[in-house]
Amino acid sequence: MTIEIGVIIATASVIIGFFTFNRNRDKDVKSDATESAIIRTKLDNIGQSVDSIRIDFKASDQRWTALSETVIRIDESTKQAHKRSDQIEKKGDV
């Protein structure tokens, strides 16, 4: 009788342990899936932010290029104006 009770208790313990293991495993899978979804969402947001920064950088680079070209043209124009004023001064000195 005592052995039968021990076998019944041992069997019940194994069954309870198995179901507990399965239940906890399912919770772990759900938890991992939730964490994975959160990480993917955050990575997508980071990727979109990087793309936005890249677009802003390209626009800024284009503005700097245009500004640089304008400065070069103004510098050339100033040099020509100085040459003309030097020529006018030379004519006036004569």
Side-chain angles (χ1 to χ4, degrees):
M1 181 83 161
T2 312
I3 295 175
E4 292 172 3
I5 293 175
V7 171
I8 291 173
I9 291 173
T11 305
S13 297
V14 169
I15 292 172
I16 290 171
F18 177 74
F19 284 123
T20 303
F21 170 76
N22 279 338
R23 182 177 175 214
N24 287 338
R25 186 185 62 191
D26 291 343
K27 284 183 180 178
D28 290 343
V29 168
K30 287 178 185 178
S31 175
D32 289 345
T34 302
E35 288 177 17
S36 178
I38 291 169
I39 290 171
R40 283 186 194 143
T41 302
K42 288 182 179 182
L43 284 174
D44 288 343
N45 289 339
I46 290 170
Q48 290 172 354
S49 296
V50 168
D51 289 342
S52 175
I53 291 170
R54 194 175 298 147
I55 290 169
D56 290 344
F57 181 75
K58 284 181 183 179
S60 178
D61 188 42
Q62 290 174 351
R63 280 181 264 157
W64 276 106
T65 302
L67 181 62
S68 176
E69 290 172 0
T70 303
V71 169
I72 290 171
R73 279 187 257 129
I74 290 171
D75 189 37
E76 290 172 357
S77 177
T78 305
K79 285 179 186 178
Q80 290 175 358
H82 280 286
K83 286 180 185 179
R84 287 193 301 269
S85 66
D86 287 343
Q87 290 173 354
I88 291 173
E89 285 180 8
K90 285 180 185 178
K91 288 182 182 179
D93 289 339
V94 178

